[in-house]
């Protein structure tokens, strides 16, 4: 998995960016919430990424904050929601607004997002309300490399456990303990933390 890319921002559009990393230009799909935080082309950029692989193509999705990436992953766990719709939902408001709509069962707010109908909004609320209630607040932006790396590992591990059927709170507590046990370092991977978390959960 490509957790993040660091390079020069070459092109910037509301729905995608191009980042030059070592002479290779990566096309990355982004939500509006990320676009609003980007600097001008030519600046250095570190962006969190999610690689979506299909038989016919591979697409990168990028996020400035861990919160955005985490919510994107949770949305993808819902049947009927693919990367394109998940990105549209993230573009429909801030992470805080979307979380609030889910937690408060405000289907009307979700319905106002293009492509999200009544059934989809209800499914989002039913499947994510409990998880959103204890969703980790990841406010650190792409800056402190070590802190960012720890948050990426923590987030990916929690998301993996949730996808395996564990409750969000139990997954978060297990990953926190596991991260402490393995002492997150430069060579630590989400897989190492997940294996340790499965031992202590």
């Amino acid at each position: 998995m490509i957790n993040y890319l660091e390079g020069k921002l070459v092109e910037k559009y509301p729905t995608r960016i191009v980042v030059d990393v070592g002479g290779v230009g990566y096309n990355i799909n982004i939500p509006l919430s990320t676009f609003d935080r980007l600097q001008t082309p030519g600046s250095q950029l570190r962006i969190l990424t999610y690689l979506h692989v299909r038989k016919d193509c591979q697409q990168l999705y990028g996020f400035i904050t861990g919160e955005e990436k985490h919510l994107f992953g949770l949305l993808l766990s819902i049947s009927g929601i693919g990367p394109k719709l998940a990105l549209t939902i993230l573009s429909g408001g801030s992470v805080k607004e979307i979380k609030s709509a889910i937690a408060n069962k405000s289907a009307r707010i979700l319905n106002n997002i293009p492509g999200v109908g009544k059934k989809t909004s209800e499914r989002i609320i039913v499947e994510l309300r409990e998880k959103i209630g204890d969703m980790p607040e990841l406010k650190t932006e792409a800056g402190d490399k070590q802190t960012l790396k720890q948050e990426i590992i923590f987030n990916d591990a929690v998301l993996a456990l949730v996808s395996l059927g564990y409750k969000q709170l139990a997954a978060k507590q297990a990953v926190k303990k596991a991260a402490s046990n393995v002492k997150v370092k430069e060579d630590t991977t989400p897989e190492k933390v997940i294996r340790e978390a499965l031992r202590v959960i």
Side-chain angles (χ1 to χ4, degrees):
M1 172 184 279
I2 302 175
N3 281 323
Y4 66 86
L5 290 174
E6 185 172 5
K8 183 173 69 174
L9 180 61
V10 178
E11 298 178 18
K12 170 186 171 184
Y13 304 99
T15 59
R16 70 179 183 88
I17 58 175
V18 175
V19 179
D20 183 325
V21 181
V24 179
Y26 289 87
N27 186 76
I28 306 172
N29 301 292
I30 59 170
L32 287 175
S33 52
T34 285
F35 175 78
D36 291 338
R37 294 169 178 254
L38 295 175
Q39 297 182 17
T40 58
S43 60
Q44 288 297 304
L45 172 72
R46 170 181 278 244
I47 189 162
L48 306 179
T49 56
Y50 174 91
L51 176 63
H52 182 67
V53 180
R54 298 190 319 189
K55 290 183 179 180
D56 57 341
C57 71
Q58 296 184 16
Q59 291 184 312
L60 272 174
Y61 294 84
F63 314 91
I64 284 294
T65 68
E67 268 193 314
E68 291 174 318
K69 182 179 177 180
H70 187 82
L71 181 53
F72 181 79
L74 288 178
L75 289 168
L76 289 184
S77 71
I78 300 175
S79 176
I81 295 183
K84 185 176 180 179
L85 181 54
L87 211 64
T88 299
I89 294 171
L90 281 176
S91 296
S94 67
V95 171
K96 183 177 181 180
E97 290 170 338
I98 296 171
K99 286 172 56 180
S100 177
I102 296 172
N104 296 317
K105 300 182 180 181
S106 301
R108 180 181 58 80
I109 295 177
L110 297 174
N111 288 342
N112 289 332
I113 299 174
V116 180
K118 181 178 179 182
K119 289 185 178 180
T120 300
S121 61
E122 290 176 349
R123 192 158 62 243
I124 292 172
I125 290 171
V126 169
E127 296 192 29
L128 296 188
R129 187 163 183 260
E130 180 180 341
K131 298 173 183 178
I132 290 297
D134 192 55
M135 184 175 169
E137 298 287 345
L138 300 180
K139 297 180 180 179
T140 300
E141 297 187 16
D144 184 333
K145 293 185 179 182
Q146 185 61 21
T147 299
L148 180 59
K149 179 179 176 64
Q150 292 175 2
E151 289 186 344
I152 292 171
I153 291 173
F154 181 92
N155 227 26
D156 285 349
V158 170
L159 187 57
L161 292 178
V162 169
S163 69
L164 291 174
Y166 292 98
K167 297 293 185 181
Q168 179 83 9
L169 180 59
K172 183 180 177 182
Q173 292 174 337
V175 168
K176 184 176 181 180
K177 184 175 181 180
S180 176
N181 289 348
V182 300
K183 295 181 180 179
V184 177
K185 295 181 292 187
E186 191 64 31
D187 61 346
T188 303
T189 64
E191 288 74 20
K192 290 181 181 180
V193 177
I194 292 168
R195 283 197 294 269
E196 180 64 22
L198 288 172
R199 291 178 54 193
V200 301
I201 198 167

